[in-house]
Amino acid sequence: MRINKVILAFLMLVGIAQADVKSNMAEVKLTAELHGSKGNAIGELDALIKKLDTIGYSTVAANKDIQVHYYNKFKEKTLEMISFFGLVNKEALRPLLLHNPDFGAYAPYNFFGYKKLDAAEDDNTWYGHLAPDTMLDIIGEKNADQRKAFTDMIESFDGLMKKEMKPTMSQKFEHTKPLPKNGITRMVKKFETPDDMETFVEDFVMDHDGRFSKHNFIIAGFIDFKFEYSDMDLEFDKYDAYWVSMLCHFEFSNSIFNRGIPEAGMFAPCSVYFYIPKGTNELHVGYASVDNWINALNFKDQKRIDYMRAIDAEVVETFKEMGFEVVTLGKD
C-alpha cells in the first residue's frame, strides 16, 4: 500500500513537471511561407503581375531589379534579382478600411521575389508575402469576420500565384518571440480647417516627400484611396482624406536584403497610411514598426537591430518635425 502511494506521488510530480514544461514552451507562429522555382523566374513573376486584373487586383507600384540600384550606389552585389510589387484589391479593401483604418499598413501589401547571385548556394527564385495572420496580428485586428475577409482577399491572389508560377518548393519562416504588443506606430497632427481639402492634402504630400527625401528616403509608391473610391462611385465618407505612401530607405534595405537576409524583403517597402476622420481637424498617420521585422524573423545581431531601430526613430523624428505627436495608447 505504501509503495502504491509512493508510485502515485511520483507520477503526480512527473505530470506537474511535464505540464510546467509545456506551459513554458514558446509558441511557434508562422511569419511567412515563400514559394520557389528553379533558376531566375523574374519573367514568370512579370507575367503573373500582368494577370492581376483577372481577380480584381492591381499594383500600386512595381519596384523591379532593385539589386541594380544597390550595386550602382553601394558597389555591393549578392543578389541576382530582387523585386517588389505593392498589391491592392481596391473593392475588397474598402469595407476593411472603413472598419479599421489600420488596414492601411497593408494597403498595399508587399509581394516580392528574389534570387541569390551565388547559384552554388541557392539557384532558386523565392517569392511570396507575409502570412495573412502575421499582417492581421501586427495591426491588432481581432474581429473574426474582418480577419476572414482579409485572409480571403490574400488567398485569392495566392491561388492565382500558384496557378501561374507552379512553384516546386517552399520554405517556412517561423518565430517564437511574440510580435510587439503594439505593432503599429501611430501619430496625429492637429491642423486648422483648410479652404480646400484637396489642396491641403497636395501641399502636405509635397512637404512630406521633400522632408523624407532629405533623410535619404524615397517614395516607392502612392495611392489616394479617397480619390480612387470617388472615381469608382463607391462610398468612402468616413474619411475626409485617406492615402498611402510606400516608404523605402536604400541604405537600410541594402544593409539587410543585400547582406545576407533577402527574405526580410517580405516587410518592405513600408506602407505608411494617412487619414483624416470625417469632420475632424486631425491628420493620423500609422505604419508597422521595425520591431515586427526583428521579432518575426528572429533577428539576433544587436548591431543590426540598433541600426534598424535608429532608422525607425528617424521616421518618427521627421514626422515630429511636421507637427505630429506619437499616440501612446495602442490597441490591446
Side-chain angles (χ1 to χ4, degrees), residues 116-158:
K116 292 183 178 180
L117 185 63
D118 187 350
E121 178 189 354
D122 185 356
D123 192 28
N124 305 300
T125 297
W126 296 99
Y127 43 89
H129 54 72
L130 289 172
D133 280 346
T134 303
M135 293 187 261
L136 288 162
D137 290 346
I138 286 171
I139 69 171
E141 181 56 66
K142 293 180 172 62
N143 182 284
D145 292 337
Q146 303 302 326
R147 289 181 72 96
K148 183 180 185 305
F150 182 79
T151 301
D152 288 348
M153 180 186 73
I154 303 292
E155 288 180 349
S156 71
F157 167 74
D158 288 346

Side-chain angles (χ1 to χ4, degrees), residues 48-328:
L48 164 65
I49 296 302
K50 290 177 181 177
K51 295 186 178 180
L52 288 177
D53 60 349
T54 64
I55 57 168
Y57 267 83
S58 59
T59 58
V60 170
N63 297 292
K64 294 163 56 176
D65 289 317
I66 302 302
Q67 78 283 348
V68 175
H69 299 285
Y70 291 155
Y71 183 75
N72 290 340
K73 191 170 181 65
F74 305 107
K75 303 305 177 187
E76 299 177 30
K77 190 170 184 179
T78 67
L79 298 169
E80 183 177 322
M81 179 275 291
I82 186 165
S83 296
F84 305 87
F85 305 91
L87 305 186
V88 292
N89 182 327
K90 286 179 279 193
E91 288 202 32
L93 274 169
R94 188 178 68 91
L96 294 169
L97 293 173
L98 288 170
H99 164 76
N100 179 359
D102 294 338
F103 273 108
Y106 295 106
Y109 67 91
N110 176 52
F111 172 69
F112 83 120
Y114 72 87
K115 183 182 183 300
K116 292 183 178 180
L117 185 63
D118 187 350
E121 178 189 354
D122 185 356
D123 192 28
N124 305 300
T125 297
W126 296 99
Y127 43 89
H129 54 72
L130 289 172
D133 280 346
T134 303
M135 293 187 261
L136 288 162
D137 290 346
I138 286 171
I139 69 171
E141 181 56 66
K142 293 180 172 62
N143 182 284
D145 292 337
Q146 303 302 326
R147 289 181 72 96
K148 183 180 185 305
F150 182 79
T151 301
D152 288 348
M153 180 186 73
I154 303 292
E155 288 180 349
S156 71
F157 167 74
D158 288 346
L160 179 68
M161 179 267 292
K162 291 174 184 176
K163 176 185 174 184
E164 297 299 323
M165 296 298 295
K166 298 179 174 58
T168 57
M169 62 198 85
S170 67
Q171 56 177 326
K172 290 184 177 181
F173 295 87
E174 297 174 325
H175 62 97
T176 53
K177 191 173 183 180
L179 294 173
K181 184 178 180 182
N182 295 306
I184 298 292
T185 299
R186 299 178 181 87
M187 288 165 278
V188 65
K189 169 188 172 76
K190 295 185 183 298
F191 61 90
E192 294 184 3
T193 303
D195 293 330
D196 182 82
M197 183 60 73
E198 287 188 18
T199 301
F200 171 80
V201 171
E202 289 173 1
D203 290 345
F204 176 88
V205 170
M206 288 182 61
D207 183 35
H208 166 274
D209 294 358
R211 287 175 186 266
F212 275 90
S213 176
K214 290 177 183 177
H215 287 270
N216 299 314
F217 289 88
I218 65 167
I219 306 303
F222 177 90
I223 184 169
D224 185 330
F225 281 107
K226 184 70 174 178
F227 171 82
E228 293 288 339
Y229 293 133
S230 176
D231 194 49
M232 297 166 70
D233 292 323
L234 294 173
E235 185 277 324
F236 203 59
D237 290 341
K238 181 178 180 179
Y239 306 105
D240 285 334
Y242 195 116
W243 72 93
V244 179
S245 289
M246 298 167 65
L247 203 60
C248 176
H249 190 290
F250 269 140
E251 183 180 343
F252 174 87
S253 63
N254 177 73
S255 73
I256 300 173
F257 312 152
N258 205 25
R259 293 181 184 170
I261 314 179
E263 61 270 20
M266 66 181 72
F267 280 98
C270 180
S271 289
V272 183
Y273 57 101
F274 301 82
Y275 64 94
I276 301 171
K278 185 175 180 63
T280 72
N281 292 69
E282 293 185 349
L283 174 57
H284 295 251
V285 62
Y287 62 91
S289 74
V290 298
D291 281 337
N292 295 294
W293 302 40
I294 293 164
N295 291 18
L297 287 174
N298 305 305
F299 278 83
K300 293 182 173 59
D301 184 334
Q302 192 59 49
K303 185 176 180 180
R304 176 174 267 160
I305 290 171
D306 291 344
Y307 173 69
M308 294 171 71
R309 286 178 173 155
I311 296 297
D312 197 49
E314 194 172 345
V315 175
V316 173
E317 287 306 310
T318 305
F319 277 122
K320 284 183 177 179
E321 291 171 8
M322 300 180 73
F324 284 86
E325 294 182 0
V326 175
V327 177
T328 55

